[in-house]
Amino acid sequence: MSAALELLDPAGYPALQPLLDADGAHGIDLKVEADKTWSRIWAIRAKPGAQIVSGLITWWTPGQVEVVHLVTDPSARRQGHARRLMQALIDAAPSDASVWLEVRRSNTPARALYMALGFELSRERKSYYADGEDALELVRAAREGSER
């Protein structure tokens, strides 16, 4: 049986919190995200009803979809979960929207995934992170011909 992908109901957002906290994303409070009408979260569970192994937090505004955070449990990496979540986002994005995100310059695996999915460098943010590392802002046009 393949892993179950789902768009979480806001009441289900807190189920992703332990994975975020373990990833060091302590600034993201999913109880707060649940109150944001522009927030959507996808999740992958190893099987229906199981713990979440990968999650994607997004913000939807007119003409733009922002990837806020993408996380996969270390024990579930290299199984295509991040690619599957990102492809679900691209497929769901409105045809007139761009999808954008920020990624650490040093995060080579993530950068390779995003480039393979059609993202392009929009700009560099020098010393963006607290540790002085640069951020790369990547953008992708929504899927052409989408009727969403």
Side-chain angles (χ1 to χ4, degrees), residues 42-57:
W42 276 271
I44 292 182
R45 299 174 192 271
K47 59 184 179 181
Q51 280 189 302
I52 294 172
V53 296
S54 191
L56 175 64
I57 303 168

Side-chain angles (χ1 to χ4, degrees), residues 73-129:
D73 185 286
S75 68
R77 290 187 180 151
R78 309 296 306 164
Q79 297 177 31
H81 298 314
R83 176 181 297 277
R84 191 167 168 211
L85 287 166
M86 289 299 296
Q87 190 62 57
L89 169 63
I90 291 165
D91 291 346
S95 60
D96 64 345
S98 60
V99 179
W100 73 275
L101 57 88
E102 292 169 356
V103 63
R104 284 180 172 269
R105 180 180 298 279
S106 65
N107 193 342
T108 305
R111 289 175 48 204
L113 169 64
Y114 301 140
M115 295 302 184
L117 289 170
F119 285 82
E120 297 178 350
L121 179 64
S122 172
R123 69 179 172 145
E124 296 179 35
R125 294 183 171 191
K126 297 289 184 189
S127 302
Y128 179 76
Y129 295 102

